[in-house]
Amino acid sequence: MNINNLGICIRRKASIACFVTISALISGCTVMTVPITDAERDTRVETDLKAMFKDQEPLTGPLDFAAVVARAISYNLDHRLKVTEQALAAGDLRVARYDMLPRIVAEAGYIGRSDFRGTNSRSLLDGTQSLESSTSEDRDRETGKLTAVWNILDFGVAYARAQQSSDQVLITRERSRRVLDNIMLDVRNAFWRAISAQSHLGEIDKLIKRVRSAIDRSRVLETKRLQDPLTSLTIQRELLETLRKLIEERRKLSLAKTKLAALINLPPGENFDLVVPKYDV
């Protein structure tokens, strides 16, 4: 093998080694997506549930309408989220106002030498040294610099951003107020439905049993031909329609208490009673 072929072979081997090294570095920098395990998901859910119901006043008895409204204002998750968004918008406004101020940059440093920095002085006439070696600075020095910069263009941009942040604060405040109004409407509706469920679910269950019993009796009369078949079918149809409405109303009333518990942020499954308001007639 001559020298030229040997050089070409070395260059090829070097290129292959370089390629392998680069490939290894690229593969080492590749980000791999690791899925969340079931245990991690359960831990996250447990942590979130503890945070949702943290620092809440426990129930000590039946709730009246005023207590329900107070708990909804204090603990409702949607309202707390809007309050947090409002606080973040106020923080962005403060940062935007700070951007309008001049920029101040402070620098500090240290300079050290192993020996003093000395100088010599020679005569221009005969070239002889005219003075002894001397120095005009310390061997170790500390340096510092403070700079203030204010740019009219940066000020204009910061002022426009501050105006936008100020508008965003007002927008988030109105959104929070709107969410609170909707929560109050939902609380009022759910409260009265829960009162109805607490007072009338037993009666509705009795009515459902009576309607089903009437349907069974009508079918017995139809089977024994003690009643006109057309009349029996008409009665059964009306009774089935009544049964359907009763079951639907019972379902709505049953969900009212669950919805009210979600509005006032009670833990799932926690039982509570409501105080029926009394009005003087």
Side-chain angles (χ1 to χ4, degrees):
M1 180 181 295
N2 56 23
I3 297 177
N4 293 332
N5 294 333
L6 181 60
I8 293 173
C9 182
I10 293 174
R11 285 195 298 269
R12 287 180 178 176
K13 290 183 179 180
S15 301
I16 294 173
C18 182
F19 177 76
V20 171
T21 303
I22 294 174
S23 300
L25 291 175
I26 293 175
S27 61
C29 296
T30 302
V31 178
M32 300 297 293
T33 302
V34 180
I36 299 176
T37 62
D38 293 339
E40 292 175 346
R41 188 181 299 107
D42 294 340
T43 303
R44 177 65 182 273
V45 170
E46 185 177 355
T47 303
D48 292 343
L49 286 175
K50 289 181 180 179
M52 285 173 58
F53 308 111
K54 184 181 179 181
D55 299 331
Q56 287 192 183
E57 184 179 354
L59 296 179
T60 57
L63 298 174
D64 56 4
F65 184 72
V68 168
V69 171
R71 293 185 73 91
I73 295 175
S74 301
Y75 306 134
N76 184 268
L77 293 179
D78 293 335
H79 185 230
R80 287 161 61 183
L81 176 62
K82 293 302 178 183
V83 170
T84 303
E85 290 179 357
Q86 186 176 347
L88 290 175
D92 293 338
L93 177 59
R94 288 192 295 269
V95 173
R97 287 174 177 173
Y98 291 149
D99 289 339
M100 293 189 292
L101 298 176
R103 298 178 182 272
I104 299 177
V105 180
E107 297 180 1
Y110 174 80
I111 300 176
R113 295 172 56 91
S114 60
D115 198 357
F116 287 98
R117 182 178 180 180
T119 58
N120 294 327
S121 178
R122 293 181 178 276
S123 173
L124 296 177
L125 298 178
D126 54 8
T128 60
Q129 183 175 347
S130 59
L131 295 175
E132 296 180 354
S133 299
S134 61
T135 182
S136 60
E137 61 183 26
D138 296 330
R139 184 176 61 181
D140 299 323
R141 291 177 296 154
E142 295 180 356
T143 60
K145 182 172 66 173
L146 183 65
T147 306
V149 180
W150 190 76
N151 191 310
I152 187 64
L153 295 178
D154 293 339
F155 173 79
V157 174
Y159 179 79
R161 290 178 178 174
Q163 289 295 110
Q164 294 176 354
S165 299
S166 179
D167 295 338
Q168 189 65 31
V169 170
L170 298 178
I171 291 172
T172 54
R173 187 178 301 170
E174 291 300 321
R175 287 177 178 173
S176 178
R177 185 179 303 171
R178 183 183 63 183
V179 168
L180 185 59
D181 291 339
N182 293 333
I183 289 172
M184 292 298 100
L185 292 176
D186 293 339
V187 165
R188 185 179 294 110
N189 187 16
F191 177 81
W192 287 110
R193 282 187 170 274
I195 287 290
S196 300
Q198 184 173 291
S199 304
H200 303 298
L201 271 181
E203 298 178 2
I204 292 177
D205 290 337
K206 292 180 181 178
L207 284 175
I208 290 175
K209 290 181 180 179
R210 291 177 59 184
V211 171
R212 286 176 174 171
S213 178
I215 293 174
D216 293 336
R217 288 198 303 269
S218 177
R219 288 174 178 173
V220 170
L221 291 176
E222 180 187 0
T223 302
K224 293 182 177 181
R225 299 186 181 277
L226 298 176
Q227 193 176 33
D228 182 54
L230 182 60
T231 303
S232 298
L233 292 175
T234 302
I235 294 174
Q236 292 176 26
R237 184 185 64 184
E238 294 176 355
L239 290 174
L240 287 172
E241 181 66 19
T242 302
L243 180 62
R244 185 189 65 81
K245 292 181 179 179
L246 287 173
I247 293 176
E248 180 65 19
E249 188 63 25
R250 190 189 188 287
R251 185 187 66 83
K252 292 180 180 179
L253 292 177
S254 300
L255 294 177
K257 204 167 185 180
T258 303
K259 183 177 181 181
L260 182 61
L263 288 171
I264 61 179
N265 199 35
L266 288 179
E270 183 170 353
N271 190 23
F272 65 98
D273 294 324
L274 299 175
V275 178
V276 180
K278 296 181 180 179
Y279 298 97
D280 296 331
V281 180

